[in-house]
């Protein structure tokens, strides 16, 4: 599941190396450093290297695409500026910035898509196009993640370095205590937005895990050095901090008001997805019943509003009544305002935006000094310089003027950031302000009778998944006389300006309000992108029959494959749904069939001007490309013709992007039942955006919300599961699920004693009273919050696995002095690598892989140690079997002694008379 982890670290020039060493590590290659006369070889790690490259801006030397030249040039540029020897400097010079980003796993994004996502993330910060950037993706036994390296200087065509970019990623301010960071890139927010927008562009129903209500801290890896725990106190501090963060989040979900929780998750947005709430509960609760109960508690609260795109769809979004009312008042104000109250200026670049704002300002007379507000002070600098004469403007942030806490508002009053009648308030980058903050600014300006000029930079790409209010205002109140070409449509769509984009598409003839003609597409190079998966096969069969009739392709042949039968024709195109090794094909690639050998179940395809053979008995992850999904259509070669069907309002924005990105060979067909004009299509497109405002959706009851997208428990997923082992009724008191912190407090209670025990005592007064198991003295196992959710669900929902997990913790937990020999013995009995991972997790053993010189540079231990792979169903079932057998008396694990039936007349008589069953006798014997 996609998460929002990202970390930026400054890398410094040292006596050992500068950029060469970490770049050799990232590239999994060998690089020679001429400055220290040493070769750094990390080629032995190339097993997890997936892909990578160097983004070289215009004007830089083309040789920078060579990693060795790029790394050596960065080091040479810094060493040329050194005046004081490195061993005498207090602060070593920075040679680059290293970025680490968690990427979605393979089952969510194909590798080419992950590469595109990584390139978007590293190029998203401002001024990122001025420096050369190296990026790479690693995926093997650890989670997929990406590395980025930013140079801190620009180079000319000859390779000569320029001055350092001081305000590249962060802005500093000199204070009495030293340099203070006043502004910087919010990397978790940036990573979340880019990933979520990319999911919507692909037409995937995926969400990025929301940031927890009480975010935890990723501690520096001070605990591990080369795989050895060297500081027990530091380790305990990290463990306690994680436990406190987990308990605080559980309390926030279960005890606090659902409306307060939702507004915390909104974090300035106007709506969130219902799946985000479910993902949050999945992270902190193991048992499916507990997850469902907490999700239902949140959705059915009176102060929480469920929203749907249309009245016929299930609710997919939610917000609070307070935020809904706030956004409704703000949008009503925008819809009914005049240009004297709210004026908007939208431009395709920052320079044009500043110029148009200045022209609009000087076209009107103003008696008061203008007020310039922004998300940060850097948003106001360009406009403040342009309006410096004759009236010096007052500059501040929106938090200082309207939305901040009392200390910031006091600073705003000192700077005269007041909104008063007749005063002009300029917001140069309204697209950078969250919906709730911008709504409060609109209402405050209207109440104070102040005039507003809102600027919107179309290259910001905000407005799709959040910050949509600024795009809504620019799209509704912008100049109607603006005309756009085909090359501007994609830019407008990515900025959320759907009205302008759809009007430009209609003028350019890219959209047709008609049903796609099923008959007549006799060109085999024409592909049809269909949104409805139920219609894909039906439409493909119709088109194939027409093409066979016109002899554009040969009649189909039935082939026996690894996954069943497959109907293919010579001359038609296929698309891969998984990566293939032989021949080398990525997932989502297109190729044309040139020959079919039905006897051997092989096909020959034309791929990259070469003929390749595919054995369908070894690889069958292909299908006919006559009809494709939106996701597959994005990887279609640029010279291929494409027809896009729009029959579902839910995928409108993703469908509009296809003809916008390739206008010369693509046409959009809008079902008349969906929309008959550009105005109707605009309304539908606005509602389809994930960041759409609450009033653009339909309010629906919460029980109809779209949930249950999480994987089912293993018991429900595997219909071939063997019968469960017999359960010792009274001998195994059911402990609480491993992650239920509330129930963990109640485990000190003694286990229940069988109801037949008093009868045995009455029959045999000399029989000693059986002692209950000392549950109160057994530490409860910690919550395995780092493991995959299917694993956690399996442990929590199966009573035998849960009991085995508890017994395993008794043997290998940190409280057990013999945990190391016990763990060594248990590891020899494990039949699954997942069981091994559970033992290492519960015993808090050192990680098996070495961690050394690049601890601070790579992924944090807590994100990689306990979830080394996406466990398969077989591995999970084997681990489940191990845990179940741990609970059996007399098993090889040695956790419970074997059954011992005392031969007593009382037991025999009770059994013969039917007063006690065999299970009850066994339970009392244990």
């Amino acid at each position: 599941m996609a998460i929002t982890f990202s970390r930026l670290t400054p890398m410094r020039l040292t006596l050992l190396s500068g950029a060469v060493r970490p770049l050799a590590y990232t590239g999994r290659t060998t690089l020679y450093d001429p400055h220290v006369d040493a070769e750094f070889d990390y080629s032995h790690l190339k097993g997890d290297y997936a892909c990578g490259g160097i983004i070289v801006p215009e004007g830089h030397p083309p040789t920078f695409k060579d990693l060795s030249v790029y790394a050596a040039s960065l080091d040479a540029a810094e060493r040329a500026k050194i005046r004081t020897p490195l061993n005498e400097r207090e602060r070593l010079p920075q040679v680059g910035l290293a970025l680490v980003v968690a990427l979605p796993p393979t089952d969510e994004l194909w590798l080419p898509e992950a590469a595109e996502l990584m390139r978007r993330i590293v190029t998203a910060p401002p001024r990122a196009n001025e420096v050369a950037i190296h990026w790479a993706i690693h995926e093997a036994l650890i989670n997929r993640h990406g590395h980025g390296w930013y140079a801190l200087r620009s180079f000319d065509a000859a390779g000569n370095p320029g001055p350092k970019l001081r305000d590249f990623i962060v802005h500093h301010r000199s204070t009495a205590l030293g340099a203070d960071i006043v502004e910087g890139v919010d990397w978790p927010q940036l990573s979340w937005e880019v990933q979520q927008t990319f999911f919507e562009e692909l037409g995937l129903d995926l969400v990025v895990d929301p940031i927890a209500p009480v975010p935890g801290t990723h501690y520096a890896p001070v605990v591990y050095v080369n795989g050895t725990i060297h500081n027990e106190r530091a380790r305990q501090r990290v463990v306690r901090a994680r436990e406190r963060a987990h308990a605080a989040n559980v309390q926030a979900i279960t005890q606090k008001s659902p409306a307060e929780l939702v507004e915390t998750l909104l974090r300035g947005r106007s709506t969130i997805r219902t799946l985000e709430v479910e993902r949050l509960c999945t992270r902190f609760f193991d048992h499916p019943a507990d997850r469902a109960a907490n999700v239902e508690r949140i959705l059915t609260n009176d102060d929480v509003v469920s929203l749907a795109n249309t009245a016929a769809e299930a609710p997919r979004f939610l917000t609070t009544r307070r935020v809904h009312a706030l956004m409704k008042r703000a949008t009503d104000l925008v819809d009914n305002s005049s240009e004297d109250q709210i004026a908007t200026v939208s431009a395709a670049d920052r320079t044009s935006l500043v110029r148009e704002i200045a022209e609009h300002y000087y076209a009107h007379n103003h008696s008061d000094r203008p007020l310039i507000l922004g998300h940060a002070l850097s948003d106001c600098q360009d406009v403040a310089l342009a309006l410096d004469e004759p009236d010096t403007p007052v500059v501040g942030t929106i938090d200082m003027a309207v939305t901040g806490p009392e200390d910031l508002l006091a600073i705003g009053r000192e700077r005269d950031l007041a909104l008063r009648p007749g005063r002009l308030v300029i917001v140069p980058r309204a697209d950078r302000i969250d919906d709730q903050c911008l709504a409060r600014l609109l209402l405050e300006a209207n109440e104070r009778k102040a005039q507003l000029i809102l600027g919107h930079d179309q290259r910001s790409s905000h407005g799709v998944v959040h910050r949509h209010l600024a795009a809504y205002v620019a799209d509704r109140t912008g100049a109607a006389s603006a005309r756009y070409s085909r090359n501007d449509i994609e830019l407008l769509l990515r900025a959320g300006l759907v009205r302008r984009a759809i009007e430009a598409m209609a003028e350019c003839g890219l959209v047709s309000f008609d049903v796609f003609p099923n008959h007549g597409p006799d060109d085999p190079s024409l592909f049809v992108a269909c949104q409805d998966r139920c219609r894909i096969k039906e439409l493909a069969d119709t088109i194939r029959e027409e093409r066979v009739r016109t002899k554009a392709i040969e009649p189909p042949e039935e082939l026996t494959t690894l996954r069943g039968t497959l109907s293919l024709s010579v001359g038609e195109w296929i698309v891969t749904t998984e990566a293939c090794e032989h021949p080398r094909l990525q997932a989502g690639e297109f190729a044309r069939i040139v020959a079919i050998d039905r006897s051997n179940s092989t096909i020959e395809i034309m791929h990259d001007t070469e003929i390749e053979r595919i054995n369908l008995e070894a690889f069958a992850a292909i299908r006919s490309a006559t009809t494709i999904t939106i996701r597959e259509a994005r990887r279609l070669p640029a010279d291929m013709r494409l027809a896009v069907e729009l029959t579902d309002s839910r995928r409108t924005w993703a469908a509009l992007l296809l003809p916008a990105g390739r206008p010369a060979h693509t046409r959009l067909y809008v079902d008349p039942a969906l929309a008959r004009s550009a105005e109707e299509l605009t309304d539908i497109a606005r509602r389809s955006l994930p960041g759409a405002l609450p009033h653009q959706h339909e309010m629906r009851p919460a029980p109809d919300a779209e949930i249950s997208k999480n994987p089912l428990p293993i018991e429900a997923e595997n219909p071939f599961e063997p019968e469960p082992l017999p359960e010792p009724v009274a001998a195994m008191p059911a402990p609480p699920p491993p992650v239920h912190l509330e129930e963990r407090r109640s485990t000190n209670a003694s286990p229940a004693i069988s109801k037949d025990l008093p009868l045995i005592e009455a029959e045999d007064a000399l029989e000693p009273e059986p002692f209950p198991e000392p549950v109160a003295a057994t530490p409860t196992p910690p919550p395995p919050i780092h493991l995959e959710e299917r694993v956690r669900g399996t442990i929590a929902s199966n009573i035998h696995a849960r009991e085995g997990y508890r017994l395993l913790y008794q043997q290998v937990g940190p409280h057990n002095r013999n945990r190391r020999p016990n763990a060594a013995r248990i590891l020899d009995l494990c039949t699954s690598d997942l069981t091994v991972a559970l033992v290492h997790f519960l015993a808090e053993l050192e990680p098996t892989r070495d961690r050394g010189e690049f601890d601070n540079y790579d992924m944090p231990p807590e994100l990689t140690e306990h979830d080394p792979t996406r466990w398969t169903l077989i591995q999970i079932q084997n681990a489940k079997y191990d845990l179940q057998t741990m609970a059996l008396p007399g098993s090889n694990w040695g956790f419970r002694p074997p059954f011992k039936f005392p031969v007593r007349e009382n037991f025999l008589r009770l059994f013969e008379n039917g007063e006690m069953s065999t299970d009850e006798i066994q339970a009392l014997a244990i």
Side-chain angles (χ1 to χ4, degrees), residues 202-252:
L202 296 176
L204 301 177
D205 285 324
L206 296 174
V207 296
V208 184
D209 264 9
I211 300 175
V214 185
T217 302
H218 292 289
Y219 290 93
V222 296
V223 179
Y224 301 103
V225 174
N226 296 326
T228 304
I229 295 179
H230 71 96
N231 191 333
E232 184 66 21
R233 180 175 297 179
R235 185 189 65 81
Q236 291 293 339
R237 175 172 56 85
V238 173
V239 171
R240 287 194 298 269
R242 292 177 184 173
E243 292 178 351
R244 286 195 300 268
H246 185 272
N249 282 288
V250 171
Q251 182 181 9

Side-chain angles (χ1 to χ4, degrees), residues 172-191:
H172 296 87
R173 177 181 57 193
S174 298
T175 63
L177 301 178
D180 183 22
I181 298 178
V182 296
E183 180 187 351
V185 176
D186 188 351
W187 287 103
Q189 178 67 26
L190 183 146
S191 173

Side-chain angles (χ1 to χ4, degrees), residues 704-715:
D704 298 330
E706 181 192 59
I707 54 176
S708 301
K709 292 293 183 182
N710 283 333
L712 295 174
I714 299 301
E715 287 78 359

